[in-house]
Structure formats: C-alpha cells, structure tokens
Amino acid sequence: MKWHFLILLIAFCSCGNSEKDAGDNLPVEIDFYVAEKKRIYMDELFDKIEVILLETTPDCLLQDYPWIAGITDGNVLMKNDFVGACLFSRKEGRFIHNVGKKGQGPDEYILVGGTFCKEKNLMYANRGNTWIGINIETNKVEERVKKSYFTNLKIAGGVDNPYRLNDSLYMGYINNITGDIKYKIAVFNRNGEAVHLYPNHLLYPKKNQNEFIYVPGIFYRYKKKLCFYSGIVMDTIYTIKDTYLQARYAFHFNKKGFPYENMDSQDFSILDYTTLRRFMEYDNKLLFTYRAGSFGEGVGFYDKGKKTTILCSKEDQAIHFRDESYPPFYPRYMDEEGNVAGCWEASEWLDFVEEHEGTIDVPENLRGVKFDDNPILVVARMKK
C-alpha cells in the first residue's frame, strides 16, 4: 500500500502553480548585518488588535508565559507542557474547559504536544509511543497515531510533533540527536510506518548521547506551498517539494558557521549563536522573532516589496504601541490566517499601569486585574 500513500503525498505537495517566487530559484536572503534597526510600532504591521483578559479559576491556572497553541474564530487554546491545555473563548476570555486529561488512561496523555490542526479542530498530545488527536470542543479522541523512531534512543531520533497532511498521512521533523540520522523529514501513516523520507545532508559527529538539544519541526502553508523550518540553529526556511527540500529564505545572522562538531565541548554555548524562534510568511511581509548571539532577543520583519529587513532596536526587544497605551508586544504565536499573538503576565500589566498612572486610560476589561491572575492575551491581525 505504500505506493498509494506516496501518490496522496505527491498530489498534496504538487501545486501546479507556475508562479515564480522565493522558493522557485535561489533563496531570498534576510541579512541582519545590513538591516535597519529602529523602533517597530504595532500600526506598521497590524490593522486590528484584541486584548483579552483570560479568566482565572482553580481549573485553568496558567504558569508564567504559557504556550499559545491555537487560535480559531471563536476560541483560544493555551497550554502548559507539563500541566495540560485550557480552552478559552476569544471574545470574553471565559474559561470553557480543560482539553483532554493528563494521566495513564487510554484517552489520557503524558504531555501536551505542540501541534494544533485548525482544519479538524484537533490538538495532538503525547502518550509515549503514540499521539492522540483530541477535538478541542468535544474533548473526544478522534485520532491515534503511532510514533516513528530512527535510532535506538527512544527519547531521541524521532518526530516530536506530527503535522497532519490529510486523513491518511502525517509529516514530521526527525531530530538528528545522534548527528548521524540520514533523514530530515518523514511522511508516515497512522501506524507510524514511514512511506517517504527526505534526506538529511547535515551529518556531524556526536559522542555524548546523553546531552542534546531537542527541537520541534515547524510547518506552515503559504498559498499552495508547504514550507518548513527547524534545527538547532534555525536559519533556513524550506519549500517541501515532492522528493526534496528547496531553500526558500536564508537568514544571515551568524558571522561563523555553527560548530556542530564542537557541541560536546565545555566551551560550547548555544547562546553564542542567533537563531529564529518563530517565523511566518504573509503576502507583503515575513514576520519573525529571534534570540541569542550578537543580536540578542527581538522581533523583525522583511518587506517583500521593498526587499528590506527591519529589526527592532536591541533595547526594545519587542513591538511598541505608538501611543504607549499598553506594554510592548512580543509575538509568541503566528498562524497562516494572519493571527499574531502574545501575552503579558498580570504582574507585568500592573507594573505598567503603576508606572504610567495618570497618563493612560485603563480599558474597562483590565481594571480588575489582580497580581496572580492568568496572563492577558493579545491577538493582532497582520495587514494585508
């Protein structure tokens, strides 16, 4: 049956689009060293902003900066990796219910995953050797997918998060923990059987198998193209073709190549190298966050029309409201529909209000915020 799955994959990935863009020839370079560095304002990028106070109850306490796992038209999915996931209404921030349950039962999970399929309303959670797809509204398990491994190390060399291609196939980035795994991306069925493998050309010696940097693969669709990025240092965005990966965007933010062969050395520090944290492609701009290395932590964008790169100043580290009515905004979530989201801790908001007392008009929905409340969610919409 493998030929059947491969035909489905080729049908999915083949666009039939003759449009020439970044992924059809040489990759577009985003060069941090020639980028303009300035304060970036919210109204440069976004045309709508929602500020949502998430309800706080004993059943939905969120720790520090929780993961924003998914945004739909009506709801927001938030998660803490080792605690669980909570569904809130997008309009009022009302807590709806916990999604799934942590435990050892057949429909319970060990760890909340990082993948949400908006098309099917499914959150994928980790059950050890299996993922379960939980419908975030009905709380029913609708899919079970076995994991694929590519080394004898059961905690490594496998796919961290499944990306749903269709009703039969999934795709995932294979963590090259050992340095010698010959495949970068696997396409597999619900039984965990790989039906197509994309080669990995970045092989390196890794002597210490007990220490490693574990990173997920991030997939997104832009128009009819399926794109991907991942790695210890994330600096290249790929278009996924039928049988190979084609570099689409290449970031230049490290003067020297990453020393994979020296990762076991005591002198090695991952913080010496800049890497992407989040990236998303839109019609007019590429939006991204980054951290570490000589550029520190921050937010930037690439203007497709002007072919220019803009980075926030090193002191800002985030996007500012022009009227300074809210704290700076750092994107922690970006999706294909144009939703860009982040959050402020309640204490961060209260400190901001105290600092700007008498100069800002506190919105009605934020006037009762208490120090230990859940975070305040910010959802911005990219300009088209």
Side-chain angles (χ1 to χ4, degrees), residues 163-217:
Y163 180 83
R164 192 182 195 278
L165 291 177
N166 51 45
D167 291 340
S168 303
L169 295 175
Y170 302 81
M171 180 175 280
Y173 168 72
I174 304 167
N175 278 279
N176 189 18
I177 303 300
T178 60
D180 61 357
I181 298 176
K182 297 179 180 179
Y183 308 108
K184 185 183 289 286
I185 293 177
V187 180
F188 51 93
N189 58 28
R190 292 193 187 184
N191 293 322
E193 300 167 335
V195 300
H196 186 67
L197 294 166
Y198 288 82
N200 173 34
H201 301 293
L202 181 60
L203 303 176
Y204 52 89
K206 185 78 170 66
K207 296 179 182 179
N208 188 348
Q209 302 294 329
N210 296 318
E211 295 182 6
F212 44 79
I213 301 169
Y214 205 65
V215 291

Side-chain angles (χ1 to χ4, degrees), residues 240-269:
I240 301 176
K241 300 290 189 177
D242 295 343
T243 57
Y244 65 96
L245 304 178
Q246 186 173 54
R248 183 175 182 82
Y249 299 106
F251 283 77
H252 179 214
F253 41 41
N254 291 309
K255 289 287 189 183
K256 298 180 180 179
F258 188 78
Y260 292 93
E261 67 282 359
N262 295 329
M263 283 195 297
D264 292 333
S265 169
Q266 293 182 348
D267 298 328
F268 169 79
S269 173

